[in-house]
Short mmCIF file of all heavy atoms in Angstrom, two decimals:
data_model
loop_
_atom_site.label_atom_id
_atom_site.label_comp_id
_atom_site.label_asym_id
_atom_site.label_seq_id
_atom_site.Cartn_x
_atom_site.Cartn_y
_atom_site.Cartn_z
N MET A 11 -1.69 -6.83 -2.45
CA MET A 11 -1.43 -5.96 -3.58
C MET A 11 -0.84 -4.65 -3.07
O MET A 11 -1.34 -4.08 -2.12
CB MET A 11 -2.73 -5.71 -4.34
CG MET A 11 -2.55 -4.93 -5.59
SD MET A 11 -4.07 -4.80 -6.54
CE MET A 11 -4.50 -6.48 -6.77
N SER A 12 0.22 -4.21 -3.68
CA SER A 12 0.90 -3.01 -3.23
C SER A 12 0.58 -1.84 -4.14
O SER A 12 0.78 -1.91 -5.36
CB SER A 12 2.40 -3.26 -3.22
OG SER A 12 3.09 -2.08 -2.95
N TYR A 13 0.08 -0.76 -3.57
CA TYR A 13 -0.21 0.46 -4.32
C TYR A 13 1.03 1.34 -4.28
O TYR A 13 1.12 2.30 -3.53
CB TYR A 13 -1.41 1.20 -3.71
CG TYR A 13 -2.70 0.49 -3.92
CD1 TYR A 13 -3.16 -0.45 -3.00
CD2 TYR A 13 -3.47 0.72 -5.04
CE1 TYR A 13 -4.36 -1.10 -3.20
CE2 TYR A 13 -4.67 0.07 -5.25
CZ TYR A 13 -5.10 -0.85 -4.32
OH TYR A 13 -6.28 -1.50 -4.52
N SER A 14 2.03 0.99 -5.08
CA SER A 14 3.32 1.62 -4.95
C SER A 14 3.67 2.59 -6.05
O SER A 14 4.65 3.30 -5.96
CB SER A 14 4.41 0.54 -4.88
OG SER A 14 4.36 -0.25 -6.04
N ARG A 15 2.89 2.69 -7.11
CA ARG A 15 3.18 3.58 -8.22
C ARG A 15 2.30 4.82 -8.15
O ARG A 15 1.17 4.76 -7.68
CB ARG A 15 2.95 2.87 -9.54
CG ARG A 15 3.93 1.73 -9.74
CD ARG A 15 3.79 1.07 -11.07
NE ARG A 15 3.92 2.05 -12.14
CZ ARG A 15 3.65 1.78 -13.41
NH1 ARG A 15 3.25 0.58 -13.76
NH2 ARG A 15 3.78 2.69 -14.33
N ALA A 16 2.82 5.92 -8.65
CA ALA A 16 2.06 7.17 -8.70
C ALA A 16 1.46 7.33 -10.10
O ALA A 16 2.14 7.13 -11.10
CB ALA A 16 2.93 8.36 -8.38
N PHE A 17 0.18 7.65 -10.14
CA PHE A 17 -0.52 7.92 -11.39
C PHE A 17 -1.25 9.25 -11.25
O PHE A 17 -1.52 9.71 -10.14
CB PHE A 17 -1.58 6.85 -11.69
CG PHE A 17 -1.02 5.49 -11.94
CD1 PHE A 17 -0.92 4.57 -10.91
CD2 PHE A 17 -0.61 5.11 -13.21
CE1 PHE A 17 -0.43 3.30 -11.14
CE2 PHE A 17 -0.11 3.84 -13.45
CZ PHE A 17 -0.02 2.93 -12.40
N TYR A 18 -1.61 9.85 -12.37
CA TYR A 18 -2.49 11.02 -12.37
C TYR A 18 -3.74 10.62 -13.15
O TYR A 18 -3.64 10.06 -14.24
CB TYR A 18 -1.83 12.21 -13.05
CG TYR A 18 -0.76 12.85 -12.19
CD1 TYR A 18 0.55 12.38 -12.21
CD2 TYR A 18 -1.06 13.90 -11.35
CE1 TYR A 18 1.53 12.95 -11.44
CE2 TYR A 18 -0.09 14.48 -10.56
CZ TYR A 18 1.21 14.00 -10.61
OH TYR A 18 2.17 14.56 -9.83
N VAL A 19 -4.90 10.88 -12.57
CA VAL A 19 -6.16 10.63 -13.27
C VAL A 19 -6.88 11.96 -13.45
O VAL A 19 -6.74 12.88 -12.66
CB VAL A 19 -7.05 9.61 -12.53
CG1 VAL A 19 -6.44 8.23 -12.58
CG2 VAL A 19 -7.31 10.01 -11.11
N ARG A 20 -7.64 12.07 -14.51
CA ARG A 20 -8.32 13.30 -14.88
C ARG A 20 -9.81 13.17 -14.60
O ARG A 20 -10.42 12.16 -14.92
CB ARG A 20 -8.08 13.61 -16.34
CG ARG A 20 -8.74 14.89 -16.83
CD ARG A 20 -8.36 15.20 -18.26
NE ARG A 20 -7.00 15.67 -18.34
CZ ARG A 20 -6.62 16.91 -18.11
NH1 ARG A 20 -7.50 17.80 -17.74
NH2 ARG A 20 -5.36 17.26 -18.24
N PHE A 21 -10.38 14.21 -14.00
CA PHE A 21 -11.80 14.32 -13.73
C PHE A 21 -12.35 15.59 -14.35
O PHE A 21 -11.64 16.60 -14.44
CB PHE A 21 -12.06 14.42 -12.21
CG PHE A 21 -11.84 13.16 -11.45
CD1 PHE A 21 -10.61 12.88 -10.89
CD2 PHE A 21 -12.88 12.25 -11.28
CE1 PHE A 21 -10.41 11.72 -10.15
CE2 PHE A 21 -12.69 11.09 -10.55
CZ PHE A 21 -11.45 10.82 -9.99
N ARG A 22 -13.63 15.57 -14.75
CA ARG A 22 -14.34 16.77 -15.20
C ARG A 22 -15.61 16.87 -14.38
O ARG A 22 -16.35 15.90 -14.22
CB ARG A 22 -14.67 16.68 -16.68
CG ARG A 22 -15.41 17.92 -17.17
CD ARG A 22 -15.72 17.93 -18.65
NE ARG A 22 -16.14 16.63 -19.13
CZ ARG A 22 -15.61 16.03 -20.18
NH1 ARG A 22 -14.63 16.56 -20.85
NH2 ARG A 22 -16.06 14.85 -20.56
N CYS A 23 -15.88 18.06 -13.87
CA CYS A 23 -17.05 18.29 -13.04
C CYS A 23 -18.30 18.39 -13.90
O CYS A 23 -18.31 19.06 -14.92
CB CYS A 23 -16.87 19.56 -12.22
SG CYS A 23 -18.16 19.78 -10.96
N ASP A 24 -19.37 17.70 -13.47
CA ASP A 24 -20.64 17.72 -14.19
C ASP A 24 -21.69 18.59 -13.48
O ASP A 24 -22.84 18.61 -13.91
CB ASP A 24 -21.20 16.30 -14.32
CG ASP A 24 -20.37 15.44 -15.27
OD1 ASP A 24 -19.74 16.01 -16.19
OD2 ASP A 24 -20.34 14.23 -15.10
N THR A 25 -21.31 19.28 -12.40
CA THR A 25 -22.25 20.12 -11.68
C THR A 25 -22.57 21.36 -12.50
O THR A 25 -21.68 21.97 -13.08
CB THR A 25 -21.65 20.53 -10.31
OG1 THR A 25 -21.36 19.36 -9.58
CG2 THR A 25 -22.62 21.40 -9.53
N ALA A 26 -23.84 21.75 -12.53
CA ALA A 26 -24.26 22.94 -13.28
C ALA A 26 -23.51 24.16 -12.77
O ALA A 26 -23.35 24.37 -11.58
CB ALA A 26 -25.76 23.15 -13.12
N GLY A 27 -23.00 24.95 -13.70
CA GLY A 27 -22.28 26.16 -13.34
C GLY A 27 -20.81 25.96 -13.01
O GLY A 27 -20.11 26.90 -12.67
N CYS A 28 -20.32 24.74 -13.11
CA CYS A 28 -18.92 24.46 -12.79
C CYS A 28 -18.29 23.76 -13.99
O CYS A 28 -18.80 22.76 -14.47
CB CYS A 28 -18.80 23.56 -11.56
SG CYS A 28 -17.09 23.29 -11.04
N ALA A 29 -17.21 24.32 -14.48
CA ALA A 29 -16.52 23.75 -15.64
C ALA A 29 -15.13 23.25 -15.26
O ALA A 29 -14.18 23.34 -16.02
CB ALA A 29 -16.42 24.80 -16.74
N CYS A 30 -15.02 22.69 -14.06
CA CYS A 30 -13.74 22.25 -13.51
C CYS A 30 -13.22 21.02 -14.28
O CYS A 30 -13.94 20.09 -14.58
CB CYS A 30 -13.96 21.88 -12.05
SG CYS A 30 -12.50 21.32 -11.21
N ASP A 31 -11.94 21.05 -14.60
CA ASP A 31 -11.24 19.93 -15.21
C ASP A 31 -9.93 19.80 -14.44
O ASP A 31 -9.14 20.72 -14.42
CB ASP A 31 -10.98 20.22 -16.69
CG ASP A 31 -10.46 19.03 -17.45
OD1 ASP A 31 -10.41 17.92 -16.90
OD2 ASP A 31 -10.08 19.21 -18.62
N VAL A 32 -9.73 18.68 -13.74
CA VAL A 32 -8.61 18.59 -12.81
C VAL A 32 -7.91 17.24 -12.93
O VAL A 32 -8.53 16.23 -13.27
CB VAL A 32 -9.10 18.83 -11.36
CG1 VAL A 32 -10.04 17.75 -10.91
CG2 VAL A 32 -7.97 18.99 -10.39
N GLU A 33 -6.59 17.24 -12.68
CA GLU A 33 -5.83 16.02 -12.57
C GLU A 33 -5.49 15.80 -11.11
O GLU A 33 -5.07 16.71 -10.42
CB GLU A 33 -4.52 16.12 -13.37
CG GLU A 33 -4.75 16.11 -14.85
CD GLU A 33 -3.45 16.20 -15.64
OE1 GLU A 33 -2.37 16.11 -15.03
OE2 GLU A 33 -3.53 16.39 -16.85
N VAL A 34 -5.72 14.57 -10.63
CA VAL A 34 -5.50 14.23 -9.23
C VAL A 34 -4.43 13.13 -9.17
O VAL A 34 -4.51 12.13 -9.91
CB VAL A 34 -6.81 13.72 -8.58
CG1 VAL A 34 -6.58 13.30 -7.15
CG2 VAL A 34 -7.89 14.78 -8.67
N ARG A 35 -3.44 13.32 -8.31
CA ARG A 35 -2.41 12.28 -8.15
C ARG A 35 -2.96 11.19 -7.23
O ARG A 35 -3.52 11.46 -6.18
CB ARG A 35 -1.16 12.89 -7.54
CG ARG A 35 -0.03 11.90 -7.49
CD ARG A 35 1.25 12.52 -7.04
NE ARG A 35 2.29 11.50 -7.10
CZ ARG A 35 3.50 11.68 -6.67
NH1 ARG A 35 3.86 12.82 -6.14
NH2 ARG A 35 4.37 10.70 -6.76
N VAL A 36 -2.78 9.94 -7.66
CA VAL A 36 -3.26 8.79 -6.91
C VAL A 36 -2.14 7.76 -6.81
O VAL A 36 -1.20 7.77 -7.60
CB VAL A 36 -4.49 8.15 -7.57
CG1 VAL A 36 -5.67 9.11 -7.58
CG2 VAL A 36 -4.20 7.66 -8.97
N ARG A 37 -2.26 6.89 -5.81
CA ARG A 37 -1.36 5.73 -5.74
C ARG A 37 -2.07 4.58 -6.41
O ARG A 37 -3.28 4.43 -6.32
CB ARG A 37 -1.07 5.38 -4.29
CG ARG A 37 -0.22 6.41 -3.62
CD ARG A 37 0.17 6.07 -2.22
NE ARG A 37 -0.56 4.97 -1.63
CZ ARG A 37 -0.22 4.35 -0.52
NH1 ARG A 37 0.84 4.71 0.13
NH2 ARG A 37 -0.95 3.36 -0.04
N GLY A 38 -1.30 3.74 -7.08
CA GLY A 38 -1.95 2.64 -7.78
C GLY A 38 -1.01 1.50 -8.08
O GLY A 38 0.17 1.52 -7.70
N CYS A 39 -1.55 0.53 -8.73
CA CYS A 39 -0.75 -0.61 -9.18
C CYS A 39 -1.27 -1.09 -10.52
O CYS A 39 -2.40 -0.79 -10.90
CB CYS A 39 -0.77 -1.73 -8.15
SG CYS A 39 -2.35 -2.54 -7.98
N VAL A 40 -0.43 -1.80 -11.23
CA VAL A 40 -0.79 -2.37 -12.53
C VAL A 40 -1.01 -3.86 -12.32
O VAL A 40 -0.16 -4.54 -11.75
CB VAL A 40 0.33 -2.12 -13.56
CG1 VAL A 40 -0.03 -2.74 -14.90
CG2 VAL A 40 0.62 -0.65 -13.71
N THR A 41 -2.15 -4.36 -12.77
CA THR A 41 -2.45 -5.79 -12.61
C THR A 41 -1.75 -6.59 -13.71
O THR A 41 -1.21 -6.03 -14.67
CB THR A 41 -3.97 -6.04 -12.67
OG1 THR A 41 -4.45 -5.61 -13.95
CG2 THR A 41 -4.69 -5.28 -11.57
N ASP A 42 -1.75 -7.90 -13.56
CA ASP A 42 -1.09 -8.78 -14.52
C ASP A 42 -1.64 -8.63 -15.93
O ASP A 42 -0.93 -8.80 -16.91
CB ASP A 42 -1.22 -10.24 -14.09
CG ASP A 42 -0.40 -10.54 -12.85
OD1 ASP A 42 0.57 -9.80 -12.57
OD2 ASP A 42 -0.75 -11.51 -12.14
N ASP A 43 -2.93 -8.30 -16.04
CA ASP A 43 -3.55 -8.14 -17.36
C ASP A 43 -3.48 -6.72 -17.89
O ASP A 43 -4.12 -6.38 -18.89
CB ASP A 43 -4.99 -8.66 -17.35
CG ASP A 43 -5.89 -7.85 -16.44
OD1 ASP A 43 -5.41 -6.91 -15.77
OD2 ASP A 43 -7.10 -8.16 -16.39
N GLY A 44 -2.72 -5.82 -17.22
CA GLY A 44 -2.55 -4.44 -17.68
C GLY A 44 -3.56 -3.46 -17.13
O GLY A 44 -3.49 -2.28 -17.42
N GLY A 45 -4.51 -3.95 -16.31
CA GLY A 45 -5.49 -3.06 -15.70
C GLY A 45 -4.87 -2.24 -14.58
O GLY A 45 -3.70 -2.41 -14.23
N ARG A 46 -5.64 -1.32 -14.04
CA ARG A 46 -5.15 -0.47 -12.96
C ARG A 46 -6.09 -0.51 -11.77
O ARG A 46 -7.31 -0.59 -11.93
CB ARG A 46 -5.08 1.00 -13.41
CG ARG A 46 -4.29 1.26 -14.67
CD ARG A 46 -2.82 1.30 -14.37
NE ARG A 46 -2.04 1.99 -15.37
CZ ARG A 46 -1.48 1.40 -16.42
NH1 ARG A 46 -1.67 0.13 -16.64
NH2 ARG A 46 -0.75 2.09 -17.26
N PHE A 47 -5.51 -0.45 -10.58
CA PHE A 47 -6.26 -0.22 -9.34
C PHE A 47 -5.70 1.05 -8.75
O PHE A 47 -4.48 1.22 -8.67
CB PHE A 47 -6.06 -1.37 -8.34
CG PHE A 47 -6.85 -2.60 -8.64
CD1 PHE A 47 -6.22 -3.77 -8.95
CD2 PHE A 47 -8.24 -2.58 -8.60
CE1 PHE A 47 -6.93 -4.93 -9.22
CE2 PHE A 47 -8.96 -3.71 -8.88
CZ PHE A 47 -8.31 -4.89 -9.19
N TYR A 48 -6.58 1.96 -8.33
CA TYR A 48 -6.15 3.25 -7.76
C TYR A 48 -6.60 3.37 -6.32
O TYR A 48 -7.66 2.89 -5.95
CB TYR A 48 -6.74 4.42 -8.54
CG TYR A 48 -6.40 4.45 -10.01
CD1 TYR A 48 -7.39 4.40 -10.97
CD2 TYR A 48 -5.07 4.52 -10.43
CE1 TYR A 48 -7.09 4.45 -12.31
CE2 TYR A 48 -4.76 4.55 -11.78
CZ TYR A 48 -5.77 4.53 -12.71
OH TYR A 48 -5.47 4.56 -14.04
N GLU A 49 -5.82 4.06 -5.52
CA GLU A 49 -6.15 4.39 -4.14
C GLU A 49 -6.14 5.92 -4.05
O GLU A 49 -5.13 6.55 -4.30
CB GLU A 49 -5.13 3.80 -3.20
CG GLU A 49 -5.42 4.09 -1.74
CD GLU A 49 -4.38 3.47 -0.84
OE1 GLU A 49 -3.19 3.86 -0.93
OE2 GLU A 49 -4.74 2.57 -0.07
N TYR A 50 -7.30 6.48 -3.71
CA TYR A 50 -7.47 7.93 -3.65
C TYR A 50 -7.27 8.42 -2.22
O TYR A 50 -7.83 7.86 -1.29
CB TYR A 50 -8.86 8.33 -4.14
CG TYR A 50 -9.09 7.98 -5.58
CD1 TYR A 50 -9.52 6.71 -5.94
CD2 TYR A 50 -8.84 8.89 -6.58
CE1 TYR A 50 -9.72 6.37 -7.27
CE2 TYR A 50 -9.04 8.58 -7.91
CZ TYR A 50 -9.48 7.31 -8.25
OH TYR A 50 -9.66 6.98 -9.56
N ALA A 51 -6.48 9.49 -2.05
CA ALA A 51 -6.25 10.07 -0.72
C ALA A 51 -7.40 10.99 -0.33
O ALA A 51 -7.56 11.30 0.85
CB ALA A 51 -4.95 10.84 -0.70
N THR A 52 -8.22 11.42 -1.29
CA THR A 52 -9.33 12.33 -1.01
C THR A 52 -10.49 12.02 -1.93
O THR A 52 -10.29 11.42 -2.98
CB THR A 52 -8.89 13.80 -1.18
OG1 THR A 52 -9.98 14.65 -0.82
CG2 THR A 52 -8.47 14.10 -2.60
N SER A 53 -11.68 12.43 -1.56
CA SER A 53 -12.84 12.28 -2.44
C SER A 53 -13.41 13.64 -2.81
O SER A 53 -14.48 13.73 -3.37
CB SER A 53 -13.92 11.44 -1.76
OG SER A 53 -14.38 12.09 -0.59
N ILE A 54 -12.65 14.70 -2.50
CA ILE A 54 -13.08 16.07 -2.78
C ILE A 54 -12.16 16.67 -3.84
O ILE A 54 -10.95 16.52 -3.78
CB ILE A 54 -12.99 16.95 -1.49
CG1 ILE A 54 -13.82 16.36 -0.37
CG2 ILE A 54 -13.38 18.39 -1.77
CD1 ILE A 54 -15.31 16.34 -0.62
N CYS A 55 -12.74 17.39 -4.79
CA CYS A 55 -11.95 18.04 -5.83
C CYS A 55 -11.13 19.16 -5.22
O CYS A 55 -11.66 20.02 -4.52
CB CYS A 55 -12.88 18.61 -6.90
SG CYS A 55 -12.00 19.50 -8.20
N PRO A 56 -9.82 19.19 -5.48
CA PRO A 56 -8.99 20.25 -4.91
C PRO A 56 -9.25 21.62 -5.54
O PRO A 56 -8.88 22.63 -4.98
CB PRO A 56 -7.56 19.78 -5.23
CG PRO A 56 -7.69 18.85 -6.36
CD PRO A 56 -9.05 18.23 -6.24
N ARG A 57 -9.92 21.67 -6.67
CA ARG A 57 -10.16 22.93 -7.35
C ARG A 57 -11.52 23.55 -6.97
O ARG A 57 -11.58 24.72 -6.63
CB ARG A 57 -10.11 22.74 -8.86
CG ARG A 57 -10.23 24.06 -9.60
CD ARG A 57 -9.89 23.96 -11.04
NE ARG A 57 -8.45 23.70 -11.16
CZ ARG A 57 -7.88 23.19 -12.22
NH1 ARG A 57 -8.60 22.88 -13.26
NH2 ARG A 57 -6.59 22.98 -12.26
N CYS A 58 -12.60 22.78 -7.01
CA CYS A 58 -13.92 23.36 -6.79
C CYS A 58 -14.61 22.89 -5.51
O CYS A 58 -15.60 23.47 -5.11
CB CYS A 58 -14.84 23.08 -8.00
SG CYS A 58 -15.28 21.34 -8.19
N GLY A 59 -14.11 21.82 -4.89
CA GLY A 59 -14.69 21.33 -3.64
C GLY A 59 -15.85 20.37 -3.78
O GLY A 59 -16.36 19.88 -2.77
N HIS A 60 -16.27 20.07 -4.99
CA HIS A 60 -17.35 19.08 -5.17
C HIS A 60 -16.80 17.67 -5.00
O HIS A 60 -15.60 17.43 -5.13
CB HIS A 60 -17.95 19.22 -6.58
CG HIS A 60 -18.68 20.50 -6.78
ND1 HIS A 60 -18.38 21.38 -7.81
CD2 HIS A 60 -19.69 21.08 -6.09
CE1 HIS A 60 -19.18 22.42 -7.76
NE2 HIS A 60 -19.98 22.25 -6.72
N LYS A 61 -17.68 16.70 -4.75
CA LYS A 61 -17.28 15.29 -4.60
C LYS A 61 -16.79 14.74 -5.94
O LYS A 61 -17.45 14.92 -6.97
CB LYS A 61 -18.46 14.44 -4.12
CG LYS A 61 -18.94 14.80 -2.75
CD LYS A 61 -18.35 13.87 -1.77
CE LYS A 61 -18.97 14.14 -0.41
NZ LYS A 61 -18.21 13.58 0.66
N LEU A 62 -15.67 14.04 -5.91
CA LEU A 62 -15.07 13.54 -7.15
C LEU A 62 -15.93 12.48 -7.84
O LEU A 62 -16.09 12.49 -9.04
CB LEU A 62 -13.68 12.95 -6.87
CG LEU A 62 -12.59 13.97 -6.63
CD1 LEU A 62 -11.28 13.26 -6.30
CD2 LEU A 62 -12.39 14.88 -7.81
N PHE A 63 -16.50 11.56 -7.11
CA PHE A 63 -17.25 10.48 -7.75
C PHE A 63 -18.75 10.72 -7.81
O PHE A 63 -19.47 9.94 -8.39
CB PHE A 63 -16.96 9.15 -7.05
CG PHE A 63 -15.52 8.76 -7.21
CD1 PHE A 63 -14.62 8.98 -6.19
CD2 PHE A 63 -15.07 8.19 -8.38
CE1 PHE A 63 -13.29 8.64 -6.33
CE2 PHE A 63 -13.74 7.84 -8.54
CZ PHE A 63 -12.84 8.07 -7.51
N ARG A 64 -19.23 11.81 -7.24
CA ARG A 64 -20.64 12.16 -7.32
C ARG A 64 -20.84 13.22 -8.40
O ARG A 64 -21.67 13.08 -9.27
CB ARG A 64 -21.15 12.68 -5.99
CG ARG A 64 -22.62 13.09 -6.06
CD ARG A 64 -23.18 13.43 -4.73
NE ARG A 64 -23.20 12.20 -3.93
CZ ARG A 64 -23.45 12.17 -2.65
NH1 ARG A 64 -23.71 13.27 -2.01
NH2 ARG A 64 -23.45 11.03 -2.00
N SER A 65 -20.06 14.29 -8.34
CA SER A 65 -20.22 15.41 -9.27
C SER A 65 -19.26 15.37 -10.44
O SER A 65 -19.44 16.06 -11.41
CB SER A 65 -20.02 16.73 -8.54
OG SER A 65 -20.91 16.85 -7.45
N HIS A 66 -18.19 14.59 -10.33
CA HIS A 66 -17.16 14.56 -11.35
C HIS A 66 -17.17 13.25 -12.12
O HIS A 66 -17.36 12.19 -11.54
CB HIS A 66 -15.78 14.74 -10.72
CG HIS A 66 -15.49 16.13 -10.28
ND1 HIS A 66 -16.20 16.77 -9.32
CD2 HIS A 66 -14.52 16.99 -10.68
CE1 HIS A 66 -15.70 17.98 -9.14
NE2 HIS A 66 -14.67 18.14 -9.95
N GLN A 67 -16.91 13.37 -13.41
CA GLN A 67 -16.81 12.20 -14.27
C GLN A 67 -15.33 11.83 -14.39
O GLN A 67 -14.49 12.68 -14.71
CB GLN A 67 -17.37 12.54 -15.65
CG GLN A 67 -17.22 11.44 -16.66
CD GLN A 67 -17.67 11.86 -18.03
OE1 GLN A 67 -17.95 13.03 -18.29
NE2 GLN A 67 -17.74 10.92 -18.93
N LEU A 68 -14.99 10.58 -14.15
CA LEU A 68 -13.63 10.10 -14.30
C LEU A 68 -13.34 9.93 -15.79
O LEU A 68 -14.03 9.19 -16.49
CB LEU A 68 -13.43 8.76 -13.57
CG LEU A 68 -12.08 8.09 -13.72
CD1 LEU A 68 -10.97 8.96 -13.14
CD2 LEU A 68 -12.10 6.73 -13.06
N LEU A 69 -12.35 10.66 -16.30
CA LEU A 69 -12.03 10.61 -17.73
C LEU A 69 -10.93 9.61 -18.04
O LEU A 69 -10.74 9.24 -19.18
CB LEU A 69 -11.59 12.00 -18.22
CG LEU A 69 -12.64 13.09 -18.04
CD1 LEU A 69 -12.06 14.43 -18.50
CD2 LEU A 69 -13.90 12.75 -18.80
N GLY A 70 -10.18 9.18 -17.02
CA GLY A 70 -9.13 8.20 -17.23
C GLY A 70 -7.77 8.71 -16.79
O GLY A 70 -7.63 9.78 -16.22
N GLU A 71 -6.77 7.92 -17.08
CA GLU A 71 -5.42 8.25 -16.68
C GLU A 71 -4.89 9.39 -17.54
O GLU A 71 -5.06 9.40 -18.75
CB GLU A 71 -4.55 7.01 -16.85
CG GLU A 71 -3.30 7.03 -16.03
CD GLU A 71 -2.63 5.67 -16.02
OE1 GLU A 71 -3.26 4.71 -15.52
OE2 GLU A 71 -1.51 5.58 -16.50
N ALA A 72 -4.25 10.36 -16.91
CA ALA A 72 -3.69 11.51 -17.62
C ALA A 72 -2.37 11.13 -18.27
O ALA A 72 -1.56 10.43 -17.68
CB ALA A 72 -3.49 12.66 -16.67
N GLU A 73 -2.15 11.59 -19.47
CA GLU A 73 -0.89 11.36 -20.17
C GLU A 73 0.13 12.35 -19.61
O GLU A 73 -0.08 13.54 -19.58
CB GLU A 73 -1.05 11.62 -21.66
CG GLU A 73 -1.96 10.62 -22.34
CD GLU A 73 -1.36 9.23 -22.40
OE1 GLU A 73 -0.13 9.12 -22.53
OE2 GLU A 73 -2.12 8.26 -22.29
N ARG A 74 1.24 11.83 -19.10
CA ARG A 74 2.32 12.67 -18.55
C ARG A 74 3.66 12.09 -18.97
O ARG A 74 3.78 10.89 -19.15
CB ARG A 74 2.27 12.71 -17.03
CG ARG A 74 1.09 13.50 -16.53
CD ARG A 74 1.23 13.73 -15.07
NE ARG A 74 0.33 14.78 -14.69
CZ ARG A 74 0.71 15.90 -14.10
NH1 ARG A 74 1.97 16.12 -13.81
NH2 ARG A 74 -0.16 16.83 -13.81
N ALA A 75 4.65 12.98 -19.07
CA ALA A 75 6.01 12.52 -19.32
C ALA A 75 6.46 11.72 -18.10
O ALA A 75 6.07 12.03 -16.97
CB ALA A 75 6.92 13.71 -19.55
N LYS A 76 7.28 10.73 -18.31
CA LYS A 76 7.74 9.89 -17.22
C LYS A 76 8.55 10.74 -16.23
O LYS A 76 9.46 11.46 -16.61
CB LYS A 76 8.63 8.76 -17.75
CG LYS A 76 9.00 7.77 -16.69
CD LYS A 76 9.74 6.58 -17.29
CE LYS A 76 10.05 5.60 -16.20
NZ LYS A 76 10.66 4.39 -16.74
N GLU A 77 8.17 10.65 -14.93
CA GLU A 77 8.83 11.43 -13.90
C GLU A 77 10.11 10.73 -13.49
O GLU A 77 10.19 9.52 -13.43
CB GLU A 77 7.91 11.59 -12.69
CG GLU A 77 6.71 12.43 -12.98
CD GLU A 77 5.85 12.59 -11.73
OE1 GLU A 77 6.42 12.57 -10.62
OE2 GLU A 77 4.66 12.75 -11.89
N ARG A 78 11.12 11.52 -13.17
CA ARG A 78 12.41 10.96 -12.74
C ARG A 78 12.63 11.17 -11.29
O ARG A 78 12.22 11.93 -10.61
CB ARG A 78 13.54 11.58 -13.51
CG ARG A 78 13.45 11.22 -14.95
CD ARG A 78 14.60 11.80 -15.72
NE ARG A 78 14.37 11.44 -17.11
CZ ARG A 78 15.14 11.83 -18.06
NH1 ARG A 78 16.19 12.54 -17.83
NH2 ARG A 78 14.89 11.48 -19.28
#
């Protein structure tokens, strides 16, 4: 499986005292049934430094205009 497409996914921090909401660029692919697989280059939030999958809730793919 080739992770050849760029996607942006949105996370919101759930840590007390942090109201971080961030979009992270990931590499991914679309499966035959329309699902997505993502490959993350980091597990740390670029904005607040908390762990993305421990302190942050994955909200889903961010809506963006098609990049050229």
